[in-house]
Amino acid sequence: MSAKPLVVSIMGPTASGKTAAALAIAERIPAEIISVDSALVYREMDIGTAKPTAAELAQVPHHLIDILDPLESYSVMQFRQDAIRLAADIHARGKLPLLVGGTMLYFKGLKDGLDALPQADAALRAELDAEAAAIGSPAMHAKLAALDPITAERLKPNDSQRIQRALEIIALTGQPMSALLAQAPKTELPFTLLPIALEPSDRSVLHTRIATRFDAMLKGGALLDEVKALRARGDLHLGLPSMRCVGYRQSWEYLDGAYGLAELRERGIAATRQLAKRQLTWLRSMDDRHIIDCLAPDATGSILQQIETAQNQG
């Protein structure tokens, strides 16, 4: 039994119907939606992010959408602080907060708390960037493996950004990142979190949805027009988190002449499928989640039952 107020998280891979389910729930229960999506935070990025439509945004109050310029970045720490603050505000209005999205790192950061890792050091990072440019990412990964094998094992040799961050932490603290994370205290949330996962009983149906949605984004040149407008600003580039979002990177490379339209479609769909696979892998690590088949005809009804049960227990 918990006296804490309830917050419901609706998680799932891309194209699993999270937004539609949340909107349907909000028709039945007074609720507000807190977006848990690292792409939806950006303004000027509507098509490729499958951002809720103006009508959907007007139907239910949404938060953490269109809060940043694509030049900016948004951290897990910022999300956690914003989500906790917004949940309290929504509870104060007598409504149910719905955390809806597929950025699993945000969900994990919210639930498990944040580590006490040191802030980035610009000078040291510049040194590591220069070293990486000289010897390559695989060699940097091998260096990390000698110093922090646990962290190295979970990183791919070409994941240069995370490899260099792990090496930076060792240089700043004298300890491997894996040891610091293991020592990090768990922080308790001011609310009870009900984790609901929309997962497909048939992965091939999800893949079909992904392809259909990406084709819709390409239709009439909508996604490409959006990326052309972003490129025309002159201050954006592929090194930014916003432009590394699935669909945007591939469209940018297409506009650079790296490949043709058919390959853009193929690469965009493949990247989205890989994203969905990573999201499902994250979900499988969350043992306390309540799994609902996103392909079931009454998935929304099943979510409502879970919410009703949690409210009665609380």
Side-chain angles (χ1 to χ4, degrees):
M1 301 291 284
S2 171
K4 292 182 180 179
L6 181 69
V7 171
V8 177
S9 63
I10 300 176
M11 309 174 288
T14 185
S16 60
K18 299 180 294 294
T19 296
L23 290 171
I25 289 164
E27 288 181 354
R28 302 275 295 275
I29 300 173
E32 296 187 25
I33 294 171
I34 301 172
S35 172
V36 188
D37 191 301
S38 60
L40 293 187
V41 296
Y42 294 113
R43 295 186 288 271
E44 303 177 47
M45 295 172 59
D46 301 334
I47 305 298
T49 61
K51 192 170 288 177
T53 64
E56 289 170 337
L57 292 171
Q59 182 181 338
V60 181
H62 285 68
H63 305 276
L64 303 186
I65 293 178
D66 288 340
I67 61 171
L68 293 181
D69 183 85
L71 261 180
E72 300 173 288
S73 60
Y74 190 64
S75 69
V76 178
M77 179 181 293
Q78 288 172 294
F79 167 77
R80 190 175 198 274
Q81 292 170 343
D82 286 343
I84 290 173
R85 172 182 53 80
L86 287 165
D89 292 346
I90 294 167
H91 281 136
R93 289 190 283 272
K95 296 183 180 181
L96 176 68
L98 300 176
L99 290 159
V100 183
T103 300
M104 300 304 163
L105 194 59
Y106 286 2
F107 281 117
K108 185 177 188 301
L110 177 65
K111 180 187 171 190
D112 295 343
L114 300 166
D115 53 64
L117 299 180
Q119 294 294 312
D121 181 287
L124 178 56
R125 185 156 290 187
E127 289 179 19
L128 290 168
D129 285 343
E131 185 179 0
I135 68 175
S137 188
M140 296 292 278
H141 184 264
K143 179 179 178 180
L144 177 63
L147 298 169
D148 184 357
I150 295 174
T151 299
E153 187 176 354
R154 66 178 178 82
L155 298 180
K156 293 181 179 179
N158 63 351
D159 194 348
S160 58
Q161 188 174 355
R162 289 185 175 87
I163 290 168
Q164 286 165 242
R165 173 59 175 158
L167 288 168
E168 177 186 45
I169 287 167
I170 293 169
L172 290 172
T173 68
Q175 296 185 67
M177 184 166 75
S178 56
L180 292 173
L181 292 175
Q183 297 164 12
K186 296 292 182 183
T187 55
E188 196 169 327
L189 287 170
F191 47 74
T192 297
L193 190 62
L194 174 64
I196 295 174
L198 289 173
E199 301 179 26
S201 53
D202 185 344
R203 192 80 64 91
S204 67
V205 176
L206 185 70
H207 291 168
T208 300
R209 284 187 182 183
I210 287 170
T212 300
R213 190 164 77 171
F214 197 75
D215 284 339
M217 291 176 182
L218 291 176
K219 188 175 181 180
L223 176 58
L224 289 173
D225 286 345
E226 184 169 82
V227 177
K228 285 176 185 175
L230 291 165
R231 285 163 61 98
R233 289 178 33 155
D235 58 351
L236 302 176
H237 54 84
L238 283 178
L240 294 167
S242 59
M243 294 300 100
R244 291 201 298 267
C245 290
V246 169
Y248 290 88
R249 175 192 288 275
Q250 292 77 20
S251 298
W252 190 291
E253 291 171 344
Y254 163 79
L255 292 170
D256 275 342
Y259 37 76
L261 190 60
E263 189 171 349
L264 161 61
R265 177 185 183 272
E266 182 181 327
R267 284 173 176 261
I269 291 172
T272 311
R273 286 176 59 167
Q274 289 165 2
L275 170 61
K277 183 179 179 181
R278 290 195 301 272
Q279 290 167 320
L280 286 166
T281 298
W282 271 97
L283 285 169
R284 284 195 295 271
S285 72
M286 299 178 179
D287 296 334
D288 61 342
R289 76 195 190 281
H290 299 268
I291 303 171
I292 290 174
D293 181 8
C294 67
L295 307 180
D298 193 27
T300 300
S302 299
I303 296 173
L304 284 164
Q305 286 179 357
Q306 293 284 353
I307 294 172
E308 184 179 350
T309 299
Q311 287 175 328
N312 291 337
Q313 289 175 345

